[in-house]
mmCIF file of all heavy atoms in Angstrom:
data_model
loop_
_atom_site.group_PDB
_atom_site.id
_atom_site.type_symbol
_atom_site.label_atom_id
_atom_site.label_comp_id
_atom_site.label_asym_id
_atom_site.label_seq_id
_atom_site.Cartn_x
_atom_site.Cartn_y
_atom_site.Cartn_z
ATOM 1 N N SER A 37 -256.935 143.706 103.570
ATOM 2 C CA SER A 37 -258.169 143.082 103.069
ATOM 3 C C SER A 37 -257.939 142.424 101.716
ATOM 4 O O SER A 37 -258.429 141.317 101.454
ATOM 5 C CB SER A 37 -259.269 144.143 102.937
ATOM 6 O OG SER A 37 -259.568 144.723 104.185
ATOM 7 N N LEU A 54 -258.059 120.241 93.459
ATOM 8 C CA LEU A 54 -257.895 118.939 94.113
ATOM 9 C C LEU A 54 -259.096 118.039 93.836
ATOM 10 O O LEU A 54 -258.943 116.854 93.487
ATOM 11 C CB LEU A 54 -257.716 119.149 95.621
ATOM 12 C CG LEU A 54 -257.374 117.907 96.447
ATOM 13 C CD1 LEU A 54 -256.024 117.327 96.024
ATOM 14 C CD2 LEU A 54 -257.356 118.238 97.930
ATOM 15 N N ARG A 61 -260.875 109.651 89.199
ATOM 16 C CA ARG A 61 -260.801 108.451 90.031
ATOM 17 C C ARG A 61 -262.193 107.944 90.393
ATOM 18 O O ARG A 61 -262.443 106.744 90.389
ATOM 19 C CB ARG A 61 -260.003 108.757 91.303
ATOM 20 C CG ARG A 61 -259.797 107.523 92.200
ATOM 21 C CD ARG A 61 -258.950 107.876 93.405
ATOM 22 N NE ARG A 61 -259.643 108.793 94.292
ATOM 23 C CZ ARG A 61 -260.563 108.389 95.195
ATOM 24 N NH1 ARG A 61 -260.899 107.122 95.298
ATOM 25 N NH2 ARG A 61 -261.131 109.280 95.980
ATOM 26 N N LYS A 63 -264.900 108.247 88.666
ATOM 27 C CA LYS A 63 -265.498 107.584 87.498
ATOM 28 C C LYS A 63 -264.883 106.202 87.268
ATOM 29 O O LYS A 63 -265.581 105.228 86.944
ATOM 30 C CB LYS A 63 -265.323 108.454 86.250
ATOM 31 C CG LYS A 63 -266.336 109.574 86.134
ATOM 32 C CD LYS A 63 -266.413 110.057 84.683
ATOM 33 C CE LYS A 63 -267.678 110.872 84.496
ATOM 34 N NZ LYS A 63 -267.885 111.248 83.092
ATOM 35 N N TRP A 141 -235.510 191.809 84.642
ATOM 36 C CA TRP A 141 -236.616 192.572 84.049
ATOM 37 C C TRP A 141 -236.371 194.079 84.058
ATOM 38 O O TRP A 141 -237.083 194.828 83.406
ATOM 39 C CB TRP A 141 -237.937 192.249 84.749
ATOM 40 C CG TRP A 141 -237.948 192.520 86.241
ATOM 41 C CD1 TRP A 141 -238.064 193.734 86.853
ATOM 42 C CD2 TRP A 141 -237.841 191.560 87.281
ATOM 43 N NE1 TRP A 141 -238.038 193.594 88.215
ATOM 44 C CE2 TRP A 141 -237.910 192.258 88.508
ATOM 45 C CE3 TRP A 141 -237.713 190.170 87.309
ATOM 46 C CZ2 TRP A 141 -237.837 191.613 89.742
ATOM 47 C CZ3 TRP A 141 -237.656 189.542 88.540
ATOM 48 C CH2 TRP A 141 -237.703 190.245 89.737
ATOM 49 N N PHE A 182 -223.907 169.828 73.985
ATOM 50 C CA PHE A 182 -223.129 169.497 75.188
ATOM 51 C C PHE A 182 -223.532 168.112 75.701
ATOM 52 O O PHE A 182 -222.673 167.263 76.000
ATOM 53 C CB PHE A 182 -223.370 170.561 76.259
ATOM 54 C CG PHE A 182 -222.443 170.475 77.438
ATOM 55 C CD1 PHE A 182 -221.293 171.247 77.493
ATOM 56 C CD2 PHE A 182 -222.730 169.632 78.512
ATOM 57 C CE1 PHE A 182 -220.432 171.173 78.589
ATOM 58 C CE2 PHE A 182 -221.870 169.548 79.598
ATOM 59 C CZ PHE A 182 -220.719 170.330 79.635
ATOM 60 N N PRO A 194 -243.022 164.356 70.878
ATOM 61 C CA PRO A 194 -244.269 165.131 70.903
ATOM 62 C C PRO A 194 -244.334 166.049 72.126
ATOM 63 O O PRO A 194 -243.836 165.713 73.198
ATOM 64 C CB PRO A 194 -245.354 164.053 70.965
ATOM 65 C CG PRO A 194 -244.726 162.833 70.380
ATOM 66 C CD PRO A 194 -243.284 162.899 70.780
ATOM 67 N N ASP A 245 -228.297 144.486 77.445
ATOM 68 C CA ASP A 245 -227.126 145.130 76.841
ATOM 69 C C ASP A 245 -227.463 146.483 76.205
ATOM 70 O O ASP A 245 -226.574 147.185 75.734
ATOM 71 C CB ASP A 245 -226.439 144.205 75.832
ATOM 72 C CG ASP A 245 -227.362 143.773 74.694
ATOM 73 O OD1 ASP A 245 -228.477 144.326 74.581
ATOM 74 O OD2 ASP A 245 -226.969 142.879 73.928
ATOM 75 N N PRO A 248 -226.994 151.136 80.185
ATOM 76 C CA PRO A 248 -227.907 152.257 80.385
ATOM 77 C C PRO A 248 -228.213 152.967 79.073
ATOM 78 O O PRO A 248 -227.379 153.042 78.181
ATOM 79 C CB PRO A 248 -227.145 153.179 81.330
ATOM 80 C CG PRO A 248 -225.702 152.930 81.009
ATOM 81 C CD PRO A 248 -225.629 151.460 80.671
ATOM 82 N N PHE A 278 -242.326 177.508 79.060
ATOM 83 C CA PHE A 278 -240.888 177.765 79.097
ATOM 84 C C PHE A 278 -240.165 176.643 78.367
ATOM 85 O O PHE A 278 -240.697 175.538 78.208
ATOM 86 C CB PHE A 278 -240.378 177.875 80.543
ATOM 87 C CG PHE A 278 -240.650 176.660 81.403
ATOM 88 C CD1 PHE A 278 -239.693 175.673 81.562
ATOM 89 C CD2 PHE A 278 -241.867 176.511 82.042
ATOM 90 C CE1 PHE A 278 -239.936 174.553 82.344
ATOM 91 C CE2 PHE A 278 -242.124 175.398 82.836
ATOM 92 C CZ PHE A 278 -241.167 174.415 82.989
ATOM 93 N N GLU A 294 -224.456 155.332 89.577
ATOM 94 C CA GLU A 294 -223.366 155.880 88.766
ATOM 95 C C GLU A 294 -223.901 156.840 87.712
ATOM 96 O O GLU A 294 -223.320 157.915 87.481
ATOM 97 C CB GLU A 294 -222.596 154.737 88.097
ATOM 98 C CG GLU A 294 -221.421 155.190 87.250
ATOM 99 C CD GLU A 294 -220.678 154.050 86.588
ATOM 100 O OE1 GLU A 294 -220.941 152.883 86.927
ATOM 101 O OE2 GLU A 294 -219.823 154.327 85.714
ATOM 102 N N VAL A 300 -225.679 164.601 87.265
ATOM 103 C CA VAL A 300 -225.410 165.786 88.088
ATOM 104 C C VAL A 300 -224.161 166.499 87.572
ATOM 105 O O VAL A 300 -224.141 167.734 87.418
ATOM 106 C CB VAL A 300 -225.239 165.400 89.574
ATOM 107 C CG1 VAL A 300 -224.765 166.608 90.392
ATOM 108 C CG2 VAL A 300 -226.545 164.857 90.143
ATOM 109 N N SER A 304 -223.868 170.325 86.004
ATOM 110 C CA SER A 304 -222.958 171.252 86.687
ATOM 111 C C SER A 304 -221.868 171.746 85.746
ATOM 112 O O SER A 304 -221.547 172.943 85.716
ATOM 113 C CB SER A 304 -222.336 170.559 87.904
ATOM 114 O OG SER A 304 -221.424 171.407 88.561
ATOM 115 N N GLY A 311 -219.879 179.839 82.565
ATOM 116 C CA GLY A 311 -219.360 180.812 83.514
ATOM 117 C C GLY A 311 -220.384 181.240 84.548
ATOM 118 O O GLY A 311 -220.333 182.375 85.046
ATOM 119 N N VAL A 336 -228.452 178.322 90.537
ATOM 120 C CA VAL A 336 -227.550 179.280 89.902
ATOM 121 C C VAL A 336 -227.616 180.607 90.648
ATOM 122 O O VAL A 336 -228.654 180.994 91.188
ATOM 123 C CB VAL A 336 -227.914 179.459 88.409
ATOM 124 C CG1 VAL A 336 -229.253 180.171 88.233
ATOM 125 C CG2 VAL A 336 -226.813 180.167 87.648
ATOM 126 N N ASN A 371 -237.733 139.013 83.626
ATOM 127 C CA ASN A 371 -237.996 140.405 83.274
ATOM 128 C C ASN A 371 -237.933 141.246 84.547
ATOM 129 O O ASN A 371 -238.643 140.963 85.518
ATOM 130 C CB ASN A 371 -239.371 140.550 82.616
ATOM 131 C CG ASN A 371 -239.444 139.876 81.266
ATOM 132 O OD1 ASN A 371 -238.430 139.709 80.592
ATOM 133 N ND2 ASN A 371 -240.640 139.472 80.861
ATOM 134 N N ILE A 404 -222.008 188.135 75.990
ATOM 135 C CA ILE A 404 -222.366 186.761 75.644
ATOM 136 C C ILE A 404 -221.245 185.816 76.084
ATOM 137 O O ILE A 404 -220.073 186.059 75.772
ATOM 138 C CB ILE A 404 -222.596 186.617 74.127
ATOM 139 C CG1 ILE A 404 -223.702 187.570 73.665
ATOM 140 C CG2 ILE A 404 -222.966 185.169 73.769
ATOM 141 C CD1 ILE A 404 -225.037 187.337 74.322
#
Side-chain angles (χ1 to χ4, degrees):
S37 299
L54 187 63
R61 184 177 67 81
K63 279 200 164 186
W141 58 77
F182 191 95
D245 59 9
F278 57 95
E294 181 180 350
V300 172
S304 178
V336 69
N371 293 334
I404 302 300

